[in-house]
Amino acid sequence: MEISREYLNLFEEAAKAAQTAYCPYSNFHVGAALLLDDGSVITGINIENRSYGLSNCAERTALFKAISMGKKDFKAIAIATPDANYPVGPCGACRQVISEFMDKKAVVLFGSEKQNIVYTTVEEIYPFDSLHELGKNN
């Protein structure tokens, strides 16, 4: 499948963001770029803390930043991991947060460089989203 120019540009934004990641402990830069339905892009980076549990992933940084700005209509998210030599997908916590705020058909891209991007959807990275069943009883 050929990835559209729009999504390649989004990945490039994620890769650019990764350059500013605060990762003095892992030295593993991650950048995320969130495409909103209106065409705007919000980026995030991984931000580490010497108490590792208090660190935050790039995907959650981008989503939390967008939500704090009142943005809620997301089309796609791209994640760039330039220090890897293979596509590194979102961690479990990020998959959970992505599924909370993004439609199951929203696009998810991840890779270490443009030549090895995985193109998928929220539903495919988080196929059995049982927590959404809780909201159906309200």
PDB file of all heavy atoms in Angstrom, residues 14 29 35-36 57:
ATOM      1  N   ALA A  14       6.491  14.158  12.836  1.00  0.00           N
ATOM      2  CA  ALA A  14       6.816  13.348  14.023  1.00  0.00           C
ATOM      3  C   ALA A  14       8.323  13.173  14.151  1.00  0.00           C
ATOM      4  O   ALA A  14       8.881  13.281  15.248  1.00  0.00           O
ATOM      5  CB  ALA A  14       6.114  11.989  13.939  1.00  0.00           C
ATOM      6  N   HIS A  29      14.856   8.578  21.229  1.00  0.00           N
ATOM      7  CA  HIS A  29      14.013   9.706  20.830  1.00  0.00           C
ATOM      8  C   HIS A  29      12.723   9.210  20.178  1.00  0.00           C
ATOM      9  O   HIS A  29      12.771   8.336  19.297  1.00  0.00           O
ATOM     10  CB  HIS A  29      14.753  10.591  19.838  1.00  0.00           C
ATOM     11  CG  HIS A  29      15.965  11.236  20.404  1.00  0.00           C
ATOM     12  ND1 HIS A  29      17.157  10.554  20.615  1.00  0.00           N
ATOM     13  CD2 HIS A  29      16.178  12.505  20.823  1.00  0.00           C
ATOM     14  CE1 HIS A  29      18.040  11.378  21.138  1.00  0.00           C
ATOM     15  NE2 HIS A  29      17.481  12.568  21.273  1.00  0.00           N
ATOM     16  N   LEU A  35      -2.745  14.517  13.496  1.00  0.00           N
ATOM     17  CA  LEU A  35      -3.435  15.265  12.444  1.00  0.00           C
ATOM     18  C   LEU A  35      -4.890  15.446  12.843  1.00  0.00           C
ATOM     19  O   LEU A  35      -5.598  14.468  13.078  1.00  0.00           O
ATOM     20  CB  LEU A  35      -3.340  14.513  11.113  1.00  0.00           C
ATOM     21  CG  LEU A  35      -4.051  15.134   9.912  1.00  0.00           C
ATOM     22  CD1 LEU A  35      -3.468  16.511   9.573  1.00  0.00           C
ATOM     23  CD2 LEU A  35      -3.972  14.194   8.709  1.00  0.00           C
ATOM     24  N   LEU A  36      -5.323  16.697  12.921  1.00  0.00           N
ATOM     25  CA  LEU A  36      -6.698  17.002  13.256  1.00  0.00           C
ATOM     26  C   LEU A  36      -7.539  17.060  11.985  1.00  0.00           C
ATOM     27  O   LEU A  36      -7.011  17.259  10.889  1.00  0.00           O
ATOM     28  CB  LEU A  36      -6.777  18.329  14.006  1.00  0.00           C
ATOM     29  CG  LEU A  36      -6.375  18.260  15.484  1.00  0.00           C
ATOM     30  CD1 LEU A  36      -4.935  17.900  15.698  1.00  0.00           C
ATOM     31  CD2 LEU A  36      -6.739  19.539  16.183  1.00  0.00           C
ATOM     32  N   CYS A  57       5.165   9.292  27.232  1.00  0.00           N
ATOM     33  CA  CYS A  57       5.434   8.959  25.833  1.00  0.00           C
ATOM     34  C   CYS A  57       4.998  10.091  24.899  1.00  0.00           C
ATOM     35  O   CYS A  57       4.121  10.886  25.229  1.00  0.00           O
ATOM     36  CB  CYS A  57       4.698   7.688  25.450  1.00  0.00           C
ATOM     37  SG  CYS A  57       5.186   6.236  26.385  1.00  0.00           S
TER      38      CYS A  57
END
